[in-house]
Amino acid sequence: MKSPDAFNLAKLPSRAPAEFHKTATLRQMKSVKQELIALQDRLYAENKRSILVVLQGMDASGKDGLIRRVFSGLNPQGVRVHSFKEPTELELAHDFLWRVHQQTPPKGMIHVFNRSHYEDVLVTRVQGLITPEEARRRFVAINNFEKLLQQAGTTVLKFYLHVSEKEQRERLEERVTDPEKRWKYEAGDEDKAKQWPAYRAVYEDVFEHCNPATCPWQLVPADQNWYKAFAVAKTLHDTLVELDPQYPSSKDERPKAEATR
Amino acid sequence: MKSPDAFNLAKLPSRAPAEFHKTATLRQMKSVKQELIALQDRLYAENKRSILVVLQGMDASGKDGLIRRVFSGLNPQGVRVHSFKEPTELELAHDFLWRVHQQTPPKGMIHVFNRSHYEDVLVTRVQGLITPEEARRRFVAINNFEKLLQQAGTTVLKFYLHVSEKEQRERLEERVTDPEKRWKYEAGDEDKAKQWPAYRAVYEDVFEHCNPATCPWQLVPADQNWYKAFAVAKTLHDTLVELDPQYPSSKDERPKAEATR
């Protein structure tokens, strides 16, 4: 039974747990990355299972930087990042999972969703584009969809990068003052900072309704880049250790997908 | 409550009900087609809803001919037929609904599936490629999938073209003897006739598990081409009359999909 505060984002830590220190964590990150590279190579060669990494977080929670820190160095042939932008007219002419389903990973691959189908129950609600009833229907559809992927051999890892209201405001302000970050600034960034409480509410709703034991959210403290990258890399690493993918004994033995239909 | 024989294909009529006569039905078909053309034009112009026609039937049940009879004459810009063949290696590397979801109709369109996601619980079972447990998981996934489409404004019409064991055998034999049908013959056609009972069993299972009141199967007697085409055209016609699509008052008023997100 979850405590009433289980998904209270105002009380969720946004900074690394006390036992983590930057220098030691960065050193540990190096060895985790080395192992990750080897494990991914085996996943790709084995060609039997796949991994979907779903990254969500408010604006300026550092999704782009995290992708660079965690996935650079892996064999790009086995990793694909897909960023979901504002839907096109064609995409909106279909059900909300249509464009997302097309980008799910085939066997052997790791796909990373930089934003995802969850935006369809987040930004759409903050902007009032869908009703609460439609949101509830979508929660069910999302749970069904993730189950379908899991049954087909895809491990679904969902990360929420949690920045505090204060940290988010500072990062959005840096986009104005820091010349190297200026390119990320866009009109409306000032308003985004004010939307923290609105996003908090819809995220809490997602964590309540799309969080089955078989496909849980990982809530990652994200005020410090070194910690959040480590947390995500370590989870991915441990998942791969668990999957324990094996090299086929020859190219002929590498299963064609037919064999697992 | 369904009778125990509700889906007993051996007892299901494969010939037109007694009140239908060929000449009169062909005449009625002409007027149904005329109205269908007008209704489809409105569906396309309105750009708010869509229709998915799922066609299933055993080999030689006449799916190709039916598509020609029912859909020729409609505006091809608003109709798309998709034939699902043996899955490719890329398709098999994803969940079974991945390739199907890509072909669902956007708003304004009628899509016709010549064979469909149902093959993944039919031929796969006759050939022993999936376990009964996997079949049951797929039944649930199919029901969820069709519900997702319906919630996004797609009407899903599912037709099973029912040929008797005897009629199927005769049609398969004609492929050998009739020079105009010879091109349809392929090695193994003789075996297909023997598989009628095996297909009957898996079809009956589908009609039991993927037949919610909100998305029922239409079992169409299909030994006579003139009747089955009429039955499908009339159902599509009546569905469109029910949807009652309206012309927008101007091109600007034609809704962009955004409006209905």
Side-chain angles (χ1 to χ4, degrees), chain A residues 162-217:
Chain A
H162 180 56
V163 283
S164 62
E165 192 169 2
K166 177 167 166 289
E167 177 72 16
Q168 189 199 34
R169 195 181 319 113
E170 287 171 11
R171 290 186 185 193
L172 289 170
E173 282 165 7
E174 267 181 20
R175 290 186 181 173
V176 181
T177 53
D178 184 335
E180 284 192 23
K181 293 184 177 165
R182 177 87 206 181
W183 68 276
K184 288 190 172 186
Y185 172 82
E186 57 182 353
D189 269 2
E190 293 82 355
D191 297 332
K192 281 178 193 166
K194 292 183 200 134
Q195 289 182 325
W196 196 94
Y199 274 100
R200 174 195 156 177
V202 292
Y203 264 112
E204 286 175 359
D205 226 16
V206 162
F207 299 146
E208 194 181 326
H209 292 99
C210 296
N211 206 23
T214 47
C215 196
W217 278 95

Side-chain angles (χ1 to χ4, degrees), chain A residues 35-235:
Chain A
E35 290 177 31
L36 203 47
I37 288 167
L39 286 160
Q40 182 228 344
D41 201 53
R42 279 160 48 189
L43 183 81
Y44 183 77
E46 185 194 63
N47 202 31
K48 275 190 190 165
R49 278 88 54 89
S50 63
I51 296 178
L52 173 61
V53 176
V54 172
L55 288 182
Q56 284 290 154
M58 297 191 202
D59 281 301
S61 59
K63 295 182 287 297
D64 298 331
L66 178 126
I67 290 170
R68 196 179 61 244
R69 283 161 198 260
V70 175
F71 295 96
S72 67
L74 273 65
N75 181 353
Q77 194 165 354
V79 177
R80 181 173 292 183
V81 180
H82 196 82
S83 298
F84 290 97
K85 310 288 184 190
E86 290 251 320
T88 64
E89 198 178 339
L90 177 65
E91 289 168 349
L92 288 169
H94 291 86
D95 68 89
F96 77 103
L97 292 171
W98 181 76
R99 66 173 184 159
V100 179
H101 202 170
Q102 293 181 32
Q103 306 301 337
T104 54
K107 296 178 198 301
M109 294 291 292
I110 299 175
H111 281 196
V112 182
F113 284 0
N114 183 358
R115 301 187 187 273
S116 68
H117 43 298
Y118 283 99
E119 289 297 327
D120 296 293
V121 286
L122 291 167
V123 64
T124 51
R125 295 191 71 190
V126 170
Q127 297 185 4
L129 297 174
I130 63 168
T131 62
E133 292 68 40
E134 174 63 10
R136 275 195 288 277
R137 280 192 292 269
R138 290 186 180 191
F139 290 150
V140 175
I142 286 173
N143 290 338
N144 291 338
F145 172 62
E146 292 174 354
K147 198 168 171 189
L148 172 72
L149 301 181
Q150 290 178 316
Q151 285 172 353
T154 301
T155 300
V156 182
L157 297 175
K158 306 188 289 194
F159 297 99
Y160 168 69
L161 307 185
H162 180 56
V163 283
S164 62
E165 192 169 2
K166 177 167 166 289
E167 177 72 16
Q168 189 199 34
R169 195 181 319 113
E170 287 171 11
R171 290 186 185 193
L172 289 170
E173 282 165 7
E174 267 181 20
R175 290 186 181 173
V176 181
T177 53
D178 184 335
E180 284 192 23
K181 293 184 177 165
R182 177 87 206 181
W183 68 276
K184 288 190 172 186
Y185 172 82
E186 57 182 353
D189 269 2
E190 293 82 355
D191 297 332
K192 281 178 193 166
K194 292 183 200 134
Q195 289 182 325
W196 196 94
Y199 274 100
R200 174 195 156 177
V202 292
Y203 264 112
E204 286 175 359
D205 226 16
V206 162
F207 299 146
E208 194 181 326
H209 292 99
C210 296
N211 206 23
T214 47
C215 196
W217 278 95
Q218 321 270 347
L219 309 188
V220 181
D223 281 359
Q224 297 141 296
N225 292 330
W226 57 268
Y227 177 73
K228 76 173 160 232
F230 174 74
V232 171
K234 184 70 167 61
T235 303

Side-chain angles (χ1 to χ4, degrees), chain B residues 229-259:
Chain B
F230 174 75
V232 170
K234 185 69 166 61
T235 302
L236 180 60
H237 168 277
D238 293 353
T239 301
L240 275 160
V241 168
E242 181 94 359
L243 289 177
D244 192 22
Q246 301 297 321
Y247 286 113
S249 62
S250 73
K251 193 164 183 181
D252 291 338
E253 205 238 324
R254 189 169 187 251
K256 293 229 183 282
E258 278 89 337

Side-chain angles (χ1 to χ4, degrees), chain B residues 166-217:
Chain B
K166 178 167 165 288
E167 176 72 17
Q168 189 199 34
R169 194 180 323 112
E170 286 171 11
R171 291 186 184 191
L172 289 170
E173 282 166 9
E174 267 181 21
R175 290 185 181 173
V176 181
T177 53
D178 183 335
E180 286 191 21
K181 293 184 176 163
R182 179 86 206 180
W183 68 276
K184 289 190 172 185
Y185 172 82
E186 57 183 352
D189 270 0
E190 294 82 355
D191 298 333
K192 282 178 193 165
K194 291 182 201 135
Q195 289 182 327
W196 196 94
Y199 274 100
R200 173 195 156 176
V202 292
Y203 265 112
E204 287 175 359
D205 226 16
V206 161
F207 299 146
E208 194 181 327
H209 293 100
C210 297
N211 207 22
T214 48
C215 197
W217 278 94

